[in-house]
Structure formats: structure tokens, C-alpha cells
Amino acid sequence: MSDVQERYSRAVMNTFGPPALALARGRGAHVWDADGREYVDLLGGIAVNALGHAHPALVEAVTTQLETLGHVSNFFATEPQVALAERLVGLLGWGDDARVFFSNSGAEANEAALKLTRRTGRTRIVAAEGSFHGRTMGALALTSKAAYREPFEPLPGDVTFVPFDDVAALEAAVDDTVAAVVLEPIQGEAGVVVPSPDLLAAAGRIAHAHGALLWVDEVQTGIARTGAWFAHQLVDGAEPDVVTLAKGLGGGIPVGATVARGAAATLLQPGNHGTTFGGNPVAAAAALAVLATVEADDLLGAATARGEQLAGLLAAQTGVVQVTGAGLMRGAELDGPYAPHAVAAARDAGFILNATGPTRLRFVPPLVITSEDLDALGAALPSILAHARTAAGSQETHA
């Protein structure tokens, strides 16, 4: 354990468990720990580091903006804030009736959306089993995992959970008391679970038939992660009224966004909601740099190409029984409960992986990850998975 990890245990609240590494620097899709050891980053800050680490465009944008105007209150407008709002609305393909509320994170983007739905005059929300929308109290109320919810119940809201990707259950749950249906296009926390192609279109049809909103949580799937600007754009007929964003939007600088159109865009009025840092010009400049770089460097195409490469190498591994996802958001189901051991074995081999459950690995690397980085992962995975199986078996033997 490094000196930084020891100090962490004494100084930082233990909400995440002991840190696996103390990381000191990064470049592209690579990071180095405090001892100078290099790793290929297949996690990307949980889908945050879209441009990788220390990307020159992001560094320049943040530095230049901070030297110009670092922060003002939301009593005032700034050019980066307005430009980012206009850019997001344009990327969504929405018109002049769309508006954006900026915050600092995905959970806050979802909190704003939840408050927005209350302004419809209705209180009931229909969400999906397996969902994850954040850990603030409102966002947690929409999150289905019992281990996250139960220590903090009763939670706010009037939320009905239905099985993910079950159109009949959704249809039965939605009536004229429902304010909104909230869904992730691909469930990330649940292990990169992809619904059938018609789910979002059906959800919109069902919600709109009852005067409810369709709210699509693109916090993890948005900003080119799946090979499209937003994952719902891969689905024919998906017509959300509200889209929430964060993670990759700022490329590592905290920024979240709640985008709404039509009547939903004007539900929140002065005094209904607020934020100190949301729309901060530095965060907005960072997000604009991310969007410009994604477009200029064709990271949409890279996400698709590298994603197919990643899916292919995962499918070729002994022990991987299913590969899910799109673009550079992939899940791998293992043939036994040794995913956490695979994460540890991968770290020993110089790769940062993530397990979302005992049998499931999640891959959300920087969009700038190279073909050579993935080739290296493919070459190392047989040994990583073999060591993980052995470690899991040894643990069972000693139990």
C-alpha cells in the first residue's frame, strides 16, 4: 500500500472502500500509479474520460477559460454556457423549443429532471428494475438496487418499478397519474444490459398516450459512448421529452445537463431550482472542447470500430459466455462468479477493469483508446481469466 493510500484511509470517509491504487498521472488511455507503474485504462473514470487523460484540447480549453473568466453566479450569462446549451440542443436534433439546465453531475441532472416532472402536477414515476440514476435522495428513489436504497428509506417520490425491457409491464404500470417514464437506453450499472430495439419507442408511445413524459437517462451512454452522440439515436422511433447527461460530457471536468423540449422545457420557472456551479464557464468550455474533439477526430467512428474490436476479443475468450453493449460500452458475462478476481488479476497485469457483479465485467474505456491497446488486452485476457478462476476456486476451498 502506498503512502497516499494509507493517508486516504485516515483522512477520507470510507464510502468507496479501500482504493485499489493511488494514481499519479495519465496520458491518453494510460495511467501511472504512485510507484510509476503503467496501466491501460479500460474504465475511463467510469465512462467519464472520453478524451482520455491530459488531452491537449481539454487542457487548453480549461486553462484559457480559467485565465479569462473562471466563475460567475447564475445571475449572469456567459458565452461558453450559452454555446454549450445551443450545441447540445443541436446534437439532439431538437428545435427552438428546447432548453438546458446545467448542473455538476449525472445525479444532479436527474434530480433536476425529477423536480421538472413534479411541475406537471403529477407525482408518480415509472422506472425500471436494474436501473441506476444516482445516489442523491431523489435520484436514489429512481434507482432499483436494494443495497443502495434500503439504508436511506423512506425515499422521496412515488416510484413504480417494472421489469426492464418488458413493454407489457410498462403498459400496465402507466396511467394518467404518471408524470414520467424514466429509462436508460442501456443499463450500465446493471452490467451493460441492452433492451430490445423497440423499448424506447414503445415507452414513448405509452407515456405520451397518458400525457406523461419520456425521460431518457443518457448519463453513461451519451456523448459518443455507443458510437452515436446519444444512444437513443440508435433506436428508430425513440422520442424522449427529457434527456439527462453528464460523465463524458466534460471529459473529466464535472458538468451535468438536463435537456428538455416542448412543454417540458418550460416547466421549471425562476425559483423552482438552482445550482451554484452548474453552467460554470470553465466546465462549459471543457464540454465544448470535448464535443469539438469528438467531431474533429471522428471519435464516433472510433467508438464503433474499437467497440467492435473489443467485443470480438471478449467473445473469443474462454469463459466469456455473453458480450453485450454498443460502441465502447461493453459487458462480458463470465461462466462463473470470478469477475472481482479478474479485476485484481488484470491490475496485476497492467490493465484497469471493472466488475459490476460477481459474473459481469464492464468496459467503458476512453474513446481514444488505440487498436494496439486492445490487442494487448486481448493477448493478456486468457492469463487474467485463468488466474481469476484459480483465485476464486482457492477462495471457495478456504471458505
Side-chain angles (χ1 to χ4, degrees), residues 5-369:
Q5 288 166 289
E6 290 181 358
R7 287 163 47 208
Y8 179 105
S9 67
R10 293 193 297 269
V12 180
M13 286 189 185
N14 183 25
T15 57
F16 300 100
L21 296 169
L23 296 177
R25 65 187 177 93
R27 177 72 64 176
H30 294 231
V31 291
W32 285 261
D33 69 17
D35 296 323
R37 187 164 184 225
E38 183 177 356
Y39 304 83
V40 179
D41 183 3
L42 278 297
L43 182 57
I46 313 182
V48 166
N49 298 101
L51 305 186
H53 302 273
H55 193 285
L58 191 57
V59 173
E60 180 180 1
V62 170
T63 302
T64 300
Q65 186 60 49
L66 195 55
E67 289 175 340
T68 306
L69 185 67
H71 178 78
V72 298
S73 77
N74 278 307
F75 293 132
F76 308 103
T78 66
E79 169 61 25
Q81 178 192 50
V82 176
L84 179 59
E86 293 170 339
R87 186 85 167 103
L88 290 175
V89 169
L91 291 174
L92 281 161
W94 290 358
D96 292 339
D97 64 347
R99 300 288 185 272
V100 182
F101 175 84
F102 288 115
S103 51
N104 308 300
S105 67
E108 289 173 84
N110 285 329
E111 288 283 345
L114 180 58
K115 288 183 71 175
L116 179 153
T117 68
R118 288 294 180 97
R119 296 291 294 159
T120 64
R122 302 179 182 183
T123 59
R124 197 156 78 86
I125 302 289
V126 176
E129 294 175 2
S131 60
F132 181 84
H133 299 289
R135 296 176 191 257
T136 54
M137 292 297 273
L140 186 59
L142 307 167
T143 294
S144 75
K145 193 170 183 177
Y148 297 160
R149 295 171 53 86
E150 289 175 352
F152 304 100
E153 290 177 340
L155 293 167
D158 178 8
V159 183
T160 300
F161 290 98
V162 298
F164 188 50
D165 201 19
D166 187 333
V167 173
L170 188 62
E171 195 148 29
V174 177
D175 58 24
D176 289 354
T177 70
V178 171
V181 174
V182 56
L183 293 170
E184 297 159 273
I186 298 174
Q187 290 188 331
E189 170 78 9
V192 191
V193 179
V194 183
S196 55
D198 63 344
L199 176 66
L200 288 182
R205 173 178 54 78
I206 293 166
H208 295 155
H210 292 281
L213 303 173
L214 175 61
W215 160 11
V216 174
D217 180 340
E218 294 254 20
V219 167
Q220 189 166 150
T221 54
I223 318 301
R225 171 58 51 190
T226 63
W229 281 109
F230 309 103
H232 75 266
Q233 294 175 331
L234 296 169
V235 180
D236 289 339
E239 297 289 345
D241 305 286
V242 180
V243 172
T244 46
L245 303 167
K247 289 196 178 286
L249 178 58
I253 303 299
V255 56
T258 305
V259 193
R261 62 173 167 176
T266 59
L267 287 169
L268 288 177
Q269 291 294 306
N272 286 162
H273 198 43
T275 170
T276 295
F277 297 105
N280 175 294
V282 176
L288 285 167
V290 169
L291 299 177
T293 304
V294 167
E295 187 170 62
D297 294 354
D298 188 24
L299 295 184
L300 288 161
T304 300
R306 298 288 84 75
E308 291 299 319
Q309 181 184 359
L310 176 58
L313 72 87
L314 291 172
Q317 301 299 319
T318 299
V320 174
V321 297
Q322 183 189 33
V323 179
T324 59
L328 280 171
M329 181 178 183
R330 299 286 176 172
E333 180 72 15
L334 305 178
D335 62 355
Y338 54 90
H341 295 282
V343 171
R347 198 161 53 239
D348 291 342
F351 298 88
I352 292 180
L353 303 188
N354 172 241
T356 59
T359 65
R360 194 83 168 181
L361 295 172
R362 171 174 54 176
F363 298 82
V364 282
L367 305 180
V368 297
I369 196 166

